[in-house]
DNA sequence: CTTAATTCAGACAAGTTTGTCTTAAATTAG
DNA sequence: CTAATTTAAGACAAACTTGTCTGAATTAAG
């Protein structure tokens, strides 16, 4: 798992907001949870983190909810990932060695740095807007096909 | 975390064996655990998995231990990864959507498939021997620099 | 045969992530 | 002001991963 589940959910919610074409108004978390097939309470907790980190703005009461704090083309996926999972992804060793670096590399360090920079580039270059546009085109989805993931027998 | 800790440890142990230049003889798990700075009991459990999966051979009693079941150039990292973490890595969606595929892609699917194939290619093309050789050259390491990883304050 | 060394098996504990629930606080509408 | 709606906060539980321990089984050596 490259991203935690919390991070997956946070990204899906952020993309849902960006794709909702209602950037001005607040969308309730329960509506989002329903649309995305996620636990309301769990999503609430995750979005609280994003609100605390300044990526979203929330308001309580009727017609309350959350919205993106900035235009969707000024937030990229890496912002969300770092807010939820921290900078782990940026410098983690593929063999889990702490202190792995150019100076003290593990035997896979060079190759892994290359792959990792591909990942960070993807998250850095993808804005919520650019990704949401693909969703709006209708050919991409944000919700699970199957409710319960198949477990091993 | 791309690989579980168990998988990290299993890979390190397998590479340790491949780099030990004692392919014929058995190496005790306690010796390996000591050398790699890992918990003996935990490593034992992981290596039992690799033994059950046919990647290692073990023998009990004095001078017992484990060794690679096949020559180090016929085992690649992917063999170890799949034995321990399962095929998760091969088809997992970056947004955690189950059923994500070319037919039902998430909005990052195309880019992620490309990155993922880079990862699988790395693990497929890296044999224990090829990686162990780099270790034997002395410029790469398999053990943690710092014992206790720093926790967030 | 006895003893020591070692893996095997599985119970158990600790830690982390994921998910649920309840109550409080804030906001809006009447 | 009151009631309804919604997020905020945090306790708690469930599930999974990681780590520890004990005893059994096997092997080698004397």
């Amino acid at each position: 798992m490259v991203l935690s589940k919390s991070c997956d959910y946070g990204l899906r919610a952020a993309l849902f907001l960006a794709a909702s074409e209602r950037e001005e108004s607040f969308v309730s978390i329960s509506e989002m949870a329903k649309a995305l097939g996620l636990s309301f309470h769990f999503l609430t907790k995750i979005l609280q983190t994003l609100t605390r980190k300044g990526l979203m703005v929330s308001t309580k009461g009727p017609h309350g909810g959350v919205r993106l704090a900035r235009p969707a083309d000024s937030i990229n996926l890496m912002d969300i990932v770092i807010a939820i999972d921290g900078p782990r992804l940026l410098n983690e060793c593929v063999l889990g060695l702490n202190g792995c670096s150019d100076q003290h590399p593990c035997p896979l360090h060079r190759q892994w740095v290359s792959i990792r920079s591909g990942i960070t580039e993807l998250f850095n270059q993808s804005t919520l807007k650019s990704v949401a546009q693909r969703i709006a085109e209708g050919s991409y989805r944000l919700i699970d096909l199957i409710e319960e993931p198949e477990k091993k027998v």
Side-chain angles (χ1 to χ4, degrees), chain A:
Chain A
M1 231 169 303
V2 171
L3 305 175
S4 69
K5 277 197 170 193
S6 295
C7 193
D8 286 342
Y9 297 169
L11 283 171
R12 295 188 213 170
L15 290 171
F16 179 87
L17 285 178
S20 74
E21 302 283 350
R22 291 185 282 175
E23 288 198 23
E24 306 283 307
S25 62
F26 290 93
V27 177
S28 83
I29 300 178
S30 63
E31 177 188 336
M32 264 193 286
K34 209 170 181 181
L36 295 170
L38 303 177
S39 147
F40 163 67
H41 287 290
F42 194 35
L43 184 57
T44 295
K45 202 187 291 189
I46 294 163
L47 296 188
Q48 278 170 19
T49 301
L50 293 180
T51 299
R52 270 197 302 272
K53 299 275 182 175
L55 292 170
M56 292 187 181
V57 175
S58 71
T59 184
K60 296 175 183 175
H63 310 116
V66 300
R67 62 172 172 78
L68 299 175
R70 309 196 301 262
D73 58 2
S74 75
I75 301 177
N76 57 39
L77 302 190
M78 187 61 89
D79 294 329
I80 310 280
V81 170
I82 289 188
I84 298 178
D85 277 351
R88 204 188 59 175
L89 186 70
L90 302 176
N91 38 40
E92 202 169 53
C93 170
V94 66
L95 291 179
L97 292 171
N98 76 59
C100 184
S101 63
D102 294 347
Q103 286 73 41
H104 303 284
C106 80
L108 295 174
H109 184 70
R110 285 170 64 94
Q111 294 97 318
W112 188 248
V113 163
S114 158
I115 285 171
R116 202 171 55 191
S117 73
I119 298 175
T120 59
E121 205 172 299
L122 170 61
F123 289 152
N124 275 322
Q125 292 183 350
S126 302
T127 65
L128 290 183
K129 182 167 188 177
S130 68
V131 180
Q133 273 169 348
R134 271 179 259 165
I135 298 168
E137 288 164 13
S139 34
Y140 299 98
R141 72 201 171 87
L142 276 181
I143 57 173
D144 272 347
L145 277 184
I146 317 149
E147 280 305 307
E148 291 296 306
E150 32 181 329
K151 292 286 174 182
K152 32 189 153 177
V153 190

